[in-house]
Amino acid sequence: MRKLDNLERAWRVIKQNGRSSNSETVRLDLEQFAEDAPQKLRSLKGRLGRNSFEFEKAKGVPIPKVDAKGKPTGKIRPIVLAPVESRVVQRAVLNVLVDQEELKPYIATPYSFGGIRSTRKRGEQKRDEQVAAVPAAIKAVLDEIGQGRCYIATADIRAFFTRVSKEHVLGVISAAIGNDSEFISFLRKAITVELANIAFLKEYAADFPTADIGVAQGNSLSPLLGNIALADFDLIMNEGDCRCIRYIDDFVIMAPTAKAANARLAKAIKLLSALGMQLSPEKSSKGAAPVDSGFEFLGVYIGPGLIRPGAKAQARFLESISDAFASSRKAMIGLKNGVALESDRSLVATLKRVGGMVDGWGKHYWFCNDGQVFAGLDQRISAEVGAFLGVYRAVRDAVPPKFQMPLLGLSELAQMSREPFKYPTKR
């Protein structure tokens, strides 16, 4: 766990994941760490070797939950943002655990797909092993439909990570790695949640896993701990002629008959209750439904012959595109009123940002087959681009020439700061 190459691998993953974070604080912290990452990682290695490393307190971020209509429910998703050093070390611990042969059954499970990537390098994977995460879960669902399981019930475990028993999962890991007390003691610290802003969270403070029960959503180790906590659940739920495909706290029950699906849903409720967990009523099926009536799982709509991004996923994507253009339009119009234009709101920067959003979203849904939906989204985006360019042209024509290049996103040589040398007056 203390080896430098392991810490370097952990840092690369944390940096890659952080690039897509919606939190400006997270991105800024990563940029600061990256400025001198080699030295900071060597410092981490030294402190870990001397047993002097301490996990600093994290920050609790209450993310409001909304209902199907986008209205706040009054509930939150308790995200824990740990300092970069803590996240790197937590990821380094995970790198070690996923390589332990005794823990492989909790990692390479046939019916659970969320949160833990394959430890193989991409070139070493077989073709079917390269499908992971959401695509792998969707493929598993489609395979079960092909096997004749034509009734489904979808479900979501309420506040899943906050209900995971630390003592249980630590006991399983301890037995698996040979009762290494020093490592288990360190692992306990790695999954303990201490919040620096607990007083500011007020009524939401109790939603965060600061007690003996619960692990942090946002900790690299949490998906593995969740898999360990639900290992028996996964095993029992997939006995007989039913299948339960799970992605962290979301799962779908697939059965050959409605009666079998309903019975398995009732069993899920009973098993989860024994673990101190329950289903979210607003996100779970009341009963079985035919597969042919269509359903959504993990933001993906699956219907007869169709696999496409769900309606809410499409709406959120278009909203994010609209927000990016709206922010830039506001900044451009402000330029007409004498407000300086920030470079990241210029034409080129905005189009580049939107292009990245489109590229990332499209690649996320590479496995979907409804070309008509994507063509329709392209039309909506094209209309947004057209309206945006119209505002740009109007502002460009209204501002003095010295603002036109910055508006585009290009610097003007004449406006650059200089400290010119003086030519000698006497020779």
Side-chain angles (χ1 to χ4, degrees):
M1 189 268 290
R2 298 163 173 151
K3 289 184 177 179
L4 185 59
D5 64 339
N6 184 33
L7 293 169
E8 289 171 342
R9 280 195 299 133
W11 159 240
R12 287 195 293 271
V13 173
I14 296 300
K15 180 172 65 172
Q16 179 65 32
N17 291 344
R19 286 175 179 170
S20 59
S21 173
N22 293 324
S23 169
E24 186 175 349
T25 300
V26 169
R27 296 194 300 272
L28 181 60
D29 287 348
L30 290 171
E31 288 173 8
Q32 291 175 342
F33 192 93
E35 289 175 0
D36 193 17
Q39 175 59 35
K40 290 174 180 174
L41 291 173
R42 285 194 293 272
S43 172
L44 263 182
K45 178 181 184 298
R47 281 176 283 153
L48 289 167
R50 296 190 299 271
N51 292 323
S52 63
F53 174 81
E54 296 289 340
F55 290 96
E56 295 182 17
K57 290 184 178 181
K59 178 183 179 182
V61 181
I63 305 296
K65 291 186 176 182
V66 297
D67 60 20
K69 297 181 180 179
K71 295 182 179 180
T73 63
K75 299 176 182 177
I76 64 157
R77 180 175 289 106
I79 302 297
V80 176
L81 292 182
V84 177
E85 281 194 346
S86 295
R87 279 181 276 158
V88 170
V89 173
Q90 288 163 349
R91 182 72 202 195
V93 172
L94 178 66
N95 289 345
V96 171
L97 290 177
V98 297
D99 282 338
Q100 304 307 306
E101 197 62 37
E102 294 82 358
L103 291 175
K104 291 292 175 68
Y106 301 102
I107 298 162
T109 61
Y111 305 115
S112 173
F113 298 90
I116 305 173
R117 297 177 181 176
S118 172
T119 56
R120 292 190 183 187
K121 297 178 181 178
R122 191 168 182 83
E124 298 174 351
Q125 293 173 321
K126 298 177 183 178
R127 185 184 181 100
D128 61 339
E129 290 178 323
Q130 294 180 11
V131 180
V134 171
I138 298 301
K139 185 177 184 298
V141 169
L142 295 171
D143 288 345
E144 296 305 329
I145 293 174
Q147 294 294 321
R149 294 180 177 88
C150 49
Y151 284 87
I152 61 101
T154 57
D156 173 90
I157 304 173
R158 172 179 283 174
F160 170 56
F161 285 121
T162 66
R163 306 309 306 161
V164 172
S165 168
K166 291 187 183 76
E167 292 308 313
H168 170 68
V169 297
L170 287 172
V172 171
I173 293 173
S174 179
I177 66 173
N179 297 312
D180 184 334
S181 59
E182 182 183 1
F183 181 82
I184 292 300
S185 176
F186 188 82
L187 176 58
R188 184 185 299 277
K189 294 177 182 177
I191 65 174
T192 296
V193 177
E194 289 189 73
L195 300 178
N197 63 332
I198 190 73
F200 296 97
L201 294 171
K202 297 180 180 178
E203 70 271 21
Y204 296 127
D207 293 320
F208 287 84
T210 55
D212 293 336
I213 298 294
V215 293
Q217 187 170 349
N219 188 324
S220 296
L221 289 155
S222 293
L224 172 60
L225 305 183
N227 267 12
I228 293 173
L230 291 182
D232 290 340
F233 173 87
D234 289 337
L235 188 65
I236 295 171
M237 287 293 292
N238 284 284
E239 292 175 344
D241 58 359
C242 293
R243 292 292 173 265
C244 177
I245 307 301
R246 184 174 62 82
Y247 190 93
I248 303 182
D249 55 353
D250 290 300
F251 63 89
V252 58
I253 294 168
M254 312 199 68
T257 65
K259 182 179 179 180
N262 286 328
R264 197 57 56 103
L265 181 60
K267 178 172 284 189
I269 294 171
K270 183 177 180 180
L271 290 171
L272 292 171
S273 177
L275 295 171
M277 302 177 187
Q278 59 182 331
L279 298 184
S280 301
E282 62 275 11
K283 293 183 179 180
S284 303
S285 301
K286 297 295 187 291
V291 166
D292 287 347
S293 64
F295 63 98
E296 282 197 20
F297 182 49
L298 304 178
V300 178
Y301 173 83
I302 300 173
L306 292 175
I307 307 160
R308 65 184 179 224
K312 287 198 291 185
Q314 294 181 46
R316 285 195 298 268
F317 171 59
L318 290 173
E319 184 179 4
S320 67
I321 298 292
S322 296
D323 288 347
F325 281 131
S327 175
S328 182
R329 283 197 301 269
K330 182 179 179 180
M332 288 181 176
I333 292 170
L335 186 62
K336 290 199 303 182
N337 300 320
V339 180
L341 177 71
E342 296 181 9
S343 60
D344 64 348
R345 294 296 180 265
S346 67
L347 177 83
V348 172
T350 300
L351 289 176
K352 184 177 180 181
R353 183 164 61 255
V354 169
M357 293 162 64
V358 172
D359 189 59
W361 197 83
K363 287 179 178 178
H364 180 75
Y365 291 103
W366 62 265
F367 53 90
C368 293
N369 66 0
D370 193 343
Q372 191 172 357
V373 161
F374 292 110
L377 291 170
D378 284 338
Q379 290 179 355
R380 298 279 296 275
I381 295 168
S382 180
E384 290 270 10
V385 171
F388 176 65
L389 293 177
V391 171
Y392 159 74
R393 285 190 293 267
V395 173
R396 180 199 60 193
D397 294 342
V399 298
K402 68 176 183 178
F403 291 137
Q404 291 178 357
M405 292 287 275
L407 185 67
L408 187 63
L410 301 175
S411 299
E412 282 194 306
L413 296 174
Q415 301 300 320
M416 288 183 179
S417 176
R418 288 181 177 77
E419 296 180 12
F421 294 139
K422 291 182 179 180
Y423 192 83
T425 56
K426 293 181 181 181
R427 290 183 289 173

